[in-house]
Amino acid sequence: MDESEALRDARAMRRAMLGDAHVDRATSDPDPVAAEFQDYITSMAWGVWTRGGALSTRDRSLLVMAMTAALGRMEEFQLHAGSTERTGVTDEEVDELLFQIAAYCGVPAGISARRAVRAVRDGRAARTEG
């Protein structure tokens, strides 16, 4: 697979997992450096999702949530927690993941992750009611 094909696949995976609205916002900056940076992020972060291997999309999603929580990157955690309907991760699995995060990353990380999950679910409920 050549680089342009790999980037195309990574872009498609990013859109499939995070949704068009998010990707469109993230890539809307007309600055050429910003565009190059977005391509770099897409190929690095999303290229690993498209490389094949033994991990499913669901597994990769759980791992990304655990790692972003461990690093205290709650904005990224919340972004990925909000995409679980597209990655095949259930609410019950996210709830269990919160216990793992608290046990292995520390209670503050677990509490922050729980707040982020609550915000995602509140937003989801508001959209279905409205």
Side-chain angles (χ1 to χ4, degrees):
M1 178 181 312
D2 69 24
E3 185 174 75
S4 61
E5 189 177 352
L7 181 56
R8 202 169 32 251
D9 290 349
R11 283 178 179 148
M13 178 62 76
R14 184 180 185 191
R15 284 189 178 279
M17 296 300 106
L18 301 181
D20 289 333
H22 172 78
V23 176
D24 289 345
R25 276 191 310 276
T27 59
S28 66
D29 189 336
D31 176 35
V33 175
E36 182 181 359
F37 187 69
Q38 284 298 317
D39 282 350
Y40 176 76
I41 290 169
T42 301
S43 35
M44 293 300 293
W46 293 99
V48 75
W49 288 65
T50 61
R51 65 172 290 283
L55 296 176
S56 68
T57 298
R58 180 193 149 283
D59 295 339
R60 292 175 199 273
S61 178
L62 286 165
L63 286 166
V64 168
M65 285 188 287
M67 289 183 280
T68 54
L71 292 168
R73 303 298 195 261
M74 286 303 136
E75 184 176 313
E76 286 294 314
F77 175 88
Q78 189 167 345
L79 175 65
H80 284 273
S83 69
T84 56
E85 292 173 323
R86 294 187 280 285
T87 63
V89 175
T90 66
D91 283 352
E92 293 78 16
E93 290 169 325
V94 172
D95 291 342
E96 191 60 33
L97 181 63
L98 294 172
F99 287 92
Q100 293 292 117
I101 290 167
Y104 284 90
C105 304
V107 171
I111 290 169
S112 293
R114 177 70 185 114
R115 286 183 188 133
V117 167
R118 181 51 149 225
V120 164
R121 291 179 183 166
D122 288 349
R124 187 189 315 155
R127 282 190 304 278
T128 57
E129 291 172 3

